[in-house]
Amino acid sequence: MALTWLAVASLLTVPASAESASSRAGLAATAARLDALHRRVSGNRAERRASELLSYHQIEGGVAACMRAAGKTYRVAPFVSRYDLFTDADLGYGTGSGSVFDSITGRGRSVILNELAGARFARAGLLTWWDSLPAADVPAHNRCTARFQHRTYPDYEPPAGVNRFSGFADLFAPVVRDPAVIAALRPYRGCMKQRYGYDVDERTDFLFRPRISYRDAPLDGRPPTAAWTRGVREVRAAFAADVDCRLPAYRIAMRLLAPRLGPWERWHREELDSIHRAWRQRVIQARDLPQPVGATVHIGR
């Protein structure tokens, strides 16, 4: 009995700072594990770039061959990777789903990187590439792109199974329905309004409201425009406010999620391994492809 009371007393006298540090470490570990799981399903940087390159050769090469067979001239588009400025850290679970599990460290970086990618596409002429087709060639071009569902090469198809697992619906569902998480999210709208002046009807609409444009992005060594600087500041402020007001619910949700990750991964191991092998096979295939003219393509391991 004395030993039991001593054990309880020792727990009660743990410094609050130490307990807080331990809690933060646990949340960070769970977030890192979720990020790794997301990359395993949705692809890391090297795997996504490999997919872009494979798609480029398949679609642009296929359309060019089809147009030649139709007796038409076709100017092959240049290769530009969306992921040039991304790192693997930017391709974790992130902030794209507007869920309670959204990253608390991303702070809108993916939004900014996507606009920079749009600026690179625009600079290469990809956003208006097909506008330059002669009117007489448009029907033939439409027939040639139909075999690819009129997709462009950045819009590559992920491996089978990715779309099924990328949302982690069955993993997240019990957590987001937990009464403690629901209660912790209830003050969110009031917090956003009272602390930061934001009227938020729906989180995803709020977070991804247009605040910056690729048209203002600083490329080719140019200094950022006033509009870009202002927009980046607004993006970061919006995401920082979201983190502050969502943090109580995030902490609860991640603690509830932590013990579920291992069993979920074991339950779906066969499917997850199949997806991972498909991504890695794309990296292997891409290494043997010729580099597009005028493009620098680095396919990692």
Side-chain angles (χ1 to χ4, degrees), residues 1 24 36 38 64 76 81 98 111 139 209 221 224 231 237 274 281 288 296-297:
M1 180 68 73
R24 288 196 301 270
H38 186 269
V76 176
S81 173
V111 173
R209 181 183 305 158
S274 177
Q281 183 60 32
D288 297 328
T296 301
V297 184

Side-chain angles (χ1 to χ4, degrees), residues 78-274:
F79 178 82
V80 178
S81 173
R82 172 179 299 278
Y83 300 104
D84 277 349
L85 300 179
F86 283 77
T87 67
D88 279 348
D90 299 313
L91 299 173
Y93 183 72
T95 55
S97 62
S99 83
V100 69
F101 304 101
D102 282 2
S103 169
I104 60 171
T105 58
R107 304 298 176 107
R109 178 172 160 81
S110 62
V111 173
I112 297 167
L113 291 176
N114 278 320
E115 290 300 320
L116 289 170
R120 293 196 305 278
F121 289 151
R123 180 181 59 183
L126 291 178
L127 302 184
T128 57
W129 193 257
W130 296 274
D131 293 345
S132 61
L133 280 171
D137 292 350
V138 170
H141 183 259
N142 287 339
R143 288 192 295 273
C144 290
T145 58
R147 66 184 64 183
F148 305 109
Q149 296 78 48
H150 303 291
R151 290 183 294 112
T152 57
Y153 72 84
D155 184 23
Y156 59 83
E157 289 284 348
V162 168
N163 292 335
R164 174 190 170 194
F165 286 104
S166 60
F168 304 123
D170 58 333
L171 173 63
F172 289 166
V175 176
V176 298
R177 291 198 299 259
D178 189 280
V181 174
I182 294 171
L185 274 174
R186 200 166 289 127
Y188 175 85
R189 290 179 62 184
C191 172
M192 292 293 282
K193 177 63 175 178
Q194 294 159 17
R195 291 189 189 177
Y196 300 102
Y198 292 124
D199 288 310
V200 181
D201 289 326
E202 202 280 325
R203 273 191 63 230
T204 305
D205 289 345
F206 166 74
L207 291 174
F208 298 99
R209 181 183 305 158
R211 295 181 175 93
I212 54 175
S213 171
Y214 69 87
R215 296 179 180 86
D216 299 315
L219 292 175
D220 300 324
R222 292 177 299 164
T225 64
W228 179 262
T229 301
R230 180 176 61 254
V232 168
R233 186 169 58 246
E234 290 175 359
V235 167
R236 290 173 176 164
F239 277 82
D242 172 75
V243 168
D244 183 35
C245 292
R246 179 170 48 90
L247 195 55
Y250 174 85
R251 287 173 175 149
I252 296 170
M254 294 301 270
R255 289 181 187 125
L256 293 172
L257 180 68
R260 297 176 180 273
L261 283 168
W264 188 89
E265 290 181 84
R266 289 192 293 273
W267 179 259
H268 294 294
R269 179 171 295 162
E270 185 175 338
E271 299 101 317
L272 294 174
D273 287 348
S274 177

